């Protein structure tokens, strides 16, 4: 999907505007959970919010795209002002350095897949999870000790083990003001109540039929009768 200009869907504009208002009022939640059905654009929405939070010169309702922080954004890697905590599957054997390398490779693959297509429902497998080793790495990350805003992105936040979720809770409770957490989920019941209690929540509705039709017509460049989708 790289090369195609994406944008916040009309169905999600109300949620976007409410968060822009919170940002301008300096009441943006430090921990935000974005929930909704799979494939509707939660990850894309979260990435655009991340760009907004790390931007040094926010325009009317989006990141400026021109400041040093915005220009640091890499289509394959994201931003150095952003940490990804993605569920993955890693065989936990061998030396600590070998294990760290496997975790790094697994998370990089997930990150690249999301950046390539944030709407892809097949990035994560059923047995992917967030391990304690990933939380320890997050705790040890020295890049948070700065005045520049930093975002931790946690897609599929219901994939934490109980121990890793409890460890995350401690990080949420002790985070400095410049550190933001953006979580996404299609399964809120999979999160610990204590995690939910630390997060402000915003629900993204499904995209409208008109939006879906417009996307299809844009992609395949043909006219489609809306009645065709009645039976899908």
């Amino acid at each position: 999907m790289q090369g195609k200009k994406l944008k916040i869907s009309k169905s999600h504009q109300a949620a976007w505007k409410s968060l822009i208002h919170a940002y301008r009022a300096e009441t943006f939640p430090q921990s935000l959970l974005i929930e909704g059905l799979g494939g509707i654009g939660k990850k894309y929405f979260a990435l655009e919010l991340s760009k907004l939070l790390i931007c040094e010169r926010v325009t009317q309702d989006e990141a400026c795209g021109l400041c040093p922080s915005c220009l640091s954004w890499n289509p394959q890697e994201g931003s150095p002002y952003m940490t990804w905590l993605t569920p993955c599957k890693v065989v936990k054997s061998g030396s600590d350095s070998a294990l760290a390398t496997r975790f790094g490779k697994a998370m990089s693959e997930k990150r690249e897949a999301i950046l390539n297509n944030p709407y892809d429902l097949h990035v994560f497998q059923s047995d992917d999870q967030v391990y304690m080793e990933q939380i320890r790495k997050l705790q040890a990350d020295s890049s948070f000790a700065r005045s520049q805003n930093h975002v931790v992105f946690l897609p599929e936040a219901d994939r934490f083990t109980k121990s890793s979720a409890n460890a995350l809770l401690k990080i949420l409770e002790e985070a400095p003001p410049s550190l933001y957490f953006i979580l996404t989920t299609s399964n809120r019941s999979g999160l610990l109540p204590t995690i939910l209690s630390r997060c402000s929540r915003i629900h993204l509705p499904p995209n409208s039929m008109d939006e879906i039709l417009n996307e299809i017509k844009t992609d395949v460049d043909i006219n489609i009768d809306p009645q065709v989708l009645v039976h899908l």
Side-chain angles (χ1 to χ4, degrees):
M1 189 169 284
Q2 284 182 8
K4 178 180 179 180
K5 177 64 175 176
L6 300 177
K7 59 183 179 181
I8 301 296
S9 70
K10 291 181 180 179
S11 298
H12 302 161
Q13 283 293 329
W16 180 262
K17 289 177 180 177
S18 72
L19 290 169
I20 290 292
H21 177 76
Y23 176 84
R24 295 199 173 282
E26 299 185 352
T27 57
F28 194 96
Q30 192 167 10
S31 300
L32 176 67
L33 174 64
I34 303 169
E35 52 184 332
L37 297 176
I40 63 170
K42 298 185 300 297
K43 295 181 185 69
Y44 176 71
F45 193 94
L47 291 174
E48 291 302 296
L49 280 178
S50 298
K51 292 177 182 179
L52 179 85
L53 290 169
I54 65 176
C55 177
E56 298 168 34
R57 296 192 296 268
V58 174
T59 61
Q60 183 175 356
D61 61 356
E62 61 184 358
C64 73
L66 298 173
C67 70
S69 295
C70 285
L71 292 175
S72 72
W73 186 272
N74 183 303
Q76 284 77 43
E77 299 179 2
S79 168
Y81 301 107
M82 185 176 175
T83 297
W84 295 62
L85 194 59
T86 58
C88 58
K89 185 67 175 178
V90 171
V91 177
K92 297 171 65 174
S93 63
S95 66
D96 289 345
S97 60
L99 184 58
T101 298
R102 287 199 293 274
F103 271 116
K105 183 175 184 295
M107 288 195 292
S108 292
E109 290 173 351
K110 300 293 187 185
R111 180 188 66 225
E112 290 173 10
I114 293 171
L115 287 169
N116 181 62
N117 182 1
Y119 290 85
D120 190 350
L121 290 171
H122 305 292
V123 171
F124 297 102
Q125 306 304 312
S126 60
D127 56 352
D128 286 344
Q129 62 183 28
V130 177
Y131 298 82
M132 272 299 300
E133 286 82 355
Q134 293 168 271
I135 300 296
R136 293 191 188 104
K137 174 67 170 60
L138 180 63
Q139 291 172 321
D141 196 324
S142 61
S143 66
F144 300 154
R146 60 175 70 183
S147 58
Q148 169 73 35
N149 282 354
H150 194 104
V151 177
V152 179
F153 179 36
L154 305 93
E156 307 289 321
D158 50 279
R159 304 293 194 95
F160 281 75
T161 64
K162 186 174 182 179
S163 59
S164 64
N166 283 325
L168 173 65
L169 178 63
K170 183 176 178 61
I171 296 176
L172 295 178
E173 291 173 340
E174 299 177 354
S178 60
L179 182 59
Y180 293 88
F181 297 83
I182 301 180
L183 301 76
T184 69
T185 186
S186 299
N187 178 28
R188 187 177 66 182
S189 63
L191 280 78
L192 289 181
T194 46
I195 297 291
L196 290 174
S197 69
R198 296 293 305 181
C199 295
S200 295
R201 285 175 256 171
I202 193 158
H203 178 82
L204 297 186
N207 296 308
S208 69
M209 185 61 72
D210 285 343
E211 289 176 293
I212 296 171
L213 283 169
N214 287 335
E215 280 297 309
I216 294 174
K217 287 188 287 187
T218 299
D219 285 345
V220 301
D221 194 28
I222 61 174
N223 292 321
I224 298 177
D225 186 336
Q227 294 301 317
V228 171
L229 298 185
V230 170
H231 303 291
L232 296 182

